[in-house]
Amino acid sequence: AVDQYIVNYRTSYQGLAWNEVTDTYARLGSLAGLATSVSPGNGNLPVQSKMRGCVLKTDGTVNYYLNAYDWTYKEDGTASTLTGADGNVMVQIPAFYIKYEKFGNWHAWYISLYPLTGYTLHPAFTKDGVNVAYRYIGAYEGVLYDNSASIYANGLYLPADTVAFTAGTKTIAISGTFPTNAFTALAAGDKIKITGTTNNNATFTVATIGDKSITVTETVADETANAAVIQNERDFTATTGDKLCSVSGKVPISYLTRANSRVLAANVGAGWRQLDYDLVNALEWLILTEYGTFYIQNIAEVGPGITAIAGWDKYSNNNPFAPSGNGNALGNATADNAGNAAAGTEKAKYSKYRGIENFYGHIYKWVDGINVNNNVPYVTNNAANWADNTSTNYTATGVTLAGSDGYASTLVNSSRVMLPSAVLGNASTYLTDYYYQSTGWRVAAFGGFAGDGADAVAWCWSLDYGSGAAHRNFGARLAF
């Protein structure tokens, strides 16, 4: 009876141990003895196998679940609507319990669906002070809903360049040297805002799209402006402004601060937020215990994602180029069809981890609920307390991160912080992903971008930007 109890106990948790010196792994619990660097399959993964795609209503309830093998269908086999009319497309993650140990050179991570002795509920599932049965992460990178125009908009931000306006044809054309595909991410009906001109500082409605020119429905004045800025219309007003959404078929929003994306996500409604630190950490636990390695970019099933694009600057001036939903036909699967190619080819590609599209790569995603000051992280999962450049109402993690940039080689001793204490690795050893840091107060971005190459993937963190930073290769992701 005692032996059977031990067997039953071991089958109720899954774990992984990693030696930070020898860079070797050993599976634990019900996965003991199984190969690493490969998924052991859903039958051996009681937590990960319960992740699934769904469409979430504004009140946070599930409108319907999606077909596990093809999201263009609902679970019942009828056609789904992934473009926003039925709600935001999300991936549901079940609550799970964790235990972390450090003994000698070994780190060990254990997960379970059950509150076993010594285990605690992962912090991601204590949301705003309340324990929840599920968390939801946007299935896609964040898309802007333009509230004033009542449309889901394609993201665009073109910095100052020479732009010619032709009144007779209502044409707006970039005449500078790049980018070659300045406008191809847009669609008819998108709203663009132009500044930096003498006579054409206004908002226009896109009519037709060419590579480096568009026509609009409104009147323009003949002019060549040498420093015109063109961006999609966006309104960061709390409550009444635009919204951050997770819908299919649109290029994600970028060039916004973390605080901007915080407002957009909260504008969706009660309980909605942008991607939070604890949720990213939970997914890192799930990926690590599933694949038994940090080096997931070397696994064909998972892969590097959209991280090795050549000529991105000349293609779209480092604007996002891959629309959401490229992987819809794969359902809840983990898959990667991205490769080292030009942006024009890769714009039809994707990576997916259990339905989460471009979790890493393509563009960095801002992460809230974590502030870093002089390499000391402070965290909270209560969105009411989220603010930049402060530790007030945040939890001090009690650890200090590596004080220089590089490939992470060792981790701090913490269950809540899977971040490096040293950076002596490379692109194929130890954590295999890059870590960026700086002194002073810093905000967090995750996952790397399309031009990062080997630096990116699921343990790539940028903790080196101030709260006012906004970049064309930085976006956001919705969560609930």
Side-chain angles (χ1 to χ4, degrees), residues 84 95 264 266 278 412 414:
L264 295 180
D278 284 321
V412 296
S414 170

Side-chain angles (χ1 to χ4, degrees), residues 190-233:
D190 279 344
K191 297 283 189 176
I192 59 168
K193 179 182 178 181
I194 297 179
T195 57
T197 74
T198 301
N199 301 306
N200 290 286
N201 289 348
T203 298
F204 299 92
T205 306
V206 176
T208 63
I209 304 101
D211 289 349
K212 296 183 69 171
S213 66
I214 56 174
T215 63
V216 296
T217 60
E218 295 85 1
T219 300
V220 301
D222 286 322
E223 177 185 4
T224 297
N226 293 323
V229 175
I230 304 175
Q231 61 182 299
N232 61 301
E233 182 180 56

Side-chain angles (χ1 to χ4, degrees), residues 135-319:
R135 287 295 311 277
Y136 298 87
I137 184 172
Y140 315 117
E141 294 167 302
V143 170
L144 182 78
Y145 179 77
D146 184 338
N147 200 42
S148 62
S150 299
I151 59 170
Y152 294 95
N154 291 289
L156 181 71
Y157 185 94
L158 298 174
D161 204 345
T162 302
V163 177
F165 298 83
T166 304
T169 57
K170 298 182 179 180
T171 298
I172 301 171
I174 291 183
S175 55
T177 57
F178 66 93
T180 56
N181 288 269
F183 295 116
T184 53
L186 297 176
D190 279 344
K191 297 283 189 176
I192 59 168
K193 179 182 178 181
I194 297 179
T195 57
T197 74
T198 301
N199 301 306
N200 290 286
N201 289 348
T203 298
F204 299 92
T205 306
V206 176
T208 63
I209 304 101
D211 289 349
K212 296 183 69 171
S213 66
I214 56 174
T215 63
V216 296
T217 60
E218 295 85 1
T219 300
V220 301
D222 286 322
E223 177 185 4
T224 297
N226 293 323
V229 175
I230 304 175
Q231 61 182 299
N232 61 301
E233 182 180 56
R234 69 267 306 267
D235 179 358
F236 299 123
T237 306
T239 306
T240 60
D242 296 338
K243 300 172 183 177
L244 185 70
C245 296
S246 181
V247 300
S248 182
K250 297 294 180 180
V251 173
I253 181 69
S254 69
Y255 204 85
L256 69 173
T257 67
R258 187 175 75 162
N260 291 153
S261 53
R262 182 185 303 143
V263 169
L264 295 180
N267 283 350
V268 177
W272 292 89
R273 47 165 66 187
Q274 69 173 319
L275 183 62
D276 57 86
Y277 169 78
D278 284 321
L279 189 53
V280 175
N281 180 264
L283 284 159
E284 289 179 328
W285 276 72
L286 295 175
I287 293 170
L288 184 60
T289 53
E290 175 167 359
Y291 288 97
T293 180
F294 291 106
Y295 195 19
I296 62 170
Q297 56 265 54
N298 196 42
I299 301 172
E301 184 179 86
V302 190
I306 303 175
T307 58
I309 303 303
W312 187 17
D313 55 344
K314 292 179 174 58
Y315 179 81
S316 63
N317 208 332
N318 294 324
N319 271 274

